[in-house]
Amino acid sequence: EAGVTQFPSHSVIEKGQTVTLRCDPISGHDNLYWYRRVMGKEIKFLLHFVKESKQDESGMPNNRFLAERTGGTYSTLKVQPAELEDSGVYFCASSQETSGSVQETQYFGPGTRLLVL
Amino acid sequence: QKEVEQDPGPLSVPEGAIVSLNCTYSNSAFQYFMWYRQYSRKGPELLMYTYSSGNKEDGRFTAQVDKSSKYISLFIRDSQPSDSATYLCAMSDGFQKLVFGTGTRLLVSP
């Protein structure tokens, strides 16, 4: 079974440009998460999709970040316009259906390394 | 103050040593506690998952949770060079959002 995949693996862009990251979750997983690790800091939650709906977007830093999950399959995270502080590693994770307040195991992708110059 | 504190290391040990990795946390709502292992340029991989207080053992790995002290540990017995990685503690209140520590880099020398 294929794991969580992310594309691209690396992206180097200039400040002010737009970048779109893609995540393909494990097949059949309803839940999809985006996390980010800024250099020297901990991995931080950005948002959580259940199928195509945003369940929790409390970690999104500002309105330059737009996440979508059309059709409840893959997800994209767009940063527009990118700023220097957006540099970091963006991880996607997925899990099966949520069961009330039971924590489901999240499976992580390899991450997209974003560098904004 | 961070919700989860974890010593970044690096922690260097010889092969065969017992390794102890720890995290403390401040949010008493956390009920689920996880340890992830991350190799360089890879994503975090779940090692251990524990609900509430207590111990859990899986092969060479033992996870301990002490909710009264807000302290969790991961022990690795008979450490191997292949255990060299960054170990991340993560926790949640059950509503899926994971809160991570910064990770501890472990180096096991042959």
Side-chain angles (χ1 to χ4, degrees), chain A residues 88-101:
Chain A
V89 184
Y90 290 76
F91 291 104
C92 176
S94 71
S95 69
Q96 290 187 309
E97 61 194 59
T98 51
S99 308
S101 61

Side-chain angles (χ1 to χ4, degrees), chain A residues 20-82:
Chain A
T20 300
L21 314 180
R22 174 172 169 143
C23 169
D24 286 78
I26 293 172
S27 177
H29 280 193
D30 288 340
N31 296 277
L32 188 149
Y33 313 83
W34 284 99
Y35 292 85
R36 175 174 75 170
R37 182 169 194 155
V38 172
M39 186 177 290
K41 304 266 185 157
E42 68 274 20
I43 296 173
K44 283 194 170 180
F45 169 85
L46 296 178
L47 88 160
H48 169 204
F49 282 101
V50 178
K51 297 185 181 178
E52 66 275 9
S53 299
K54 291 176 185 173
Q55 179 77 14
D56 181 355
E57 51 184 329
S58 61
M60 294 288 266
N62 52 60
N63 59 10
R64 294 186 293 103
F65 289 74
L66 175 64
E68 294 180 324
R69 192 182 182 197
T70 307
T73 54
Y74 71 91
S75 174
T76 58
L77 180 65
K78 181 190 287 188
V79 185
Q80 179 182 30

Side-chain angles (χ1 to χ4, degrees), chain B residues 53-108:
Chain B
S53 285
N55 294 358
K56 184 173 183 179
E57 188 173 321
D58 184 1
R60 296 184 295 112
F61 300 90
T62 299
Q64 288 186 350
V65 175
D66 181 349
K67 288 188 68 181
S68 63
S69 301
K70 296 190 178 68
Y71 187 89
I72 71 170
S73 301
L74 177 71
F75 297 95
I76 307 174
R77 290 183 298 280
D78 188 25
S79 56
Q80 302 294 310
S82 58
D83 294 328
S84 298
T86 296
Y87 289 79
L88 304 154
C89 63
M91 43 200 84
S92 88
D93 56 8
F95 291 97
Q96 310 311 318
K97 165 185 166 182
L98 295 180
V99 180
F100 283 87
T102 51
T104 298
R105 188 170 163 223
L106 173 65
L107 303 170
V108 182

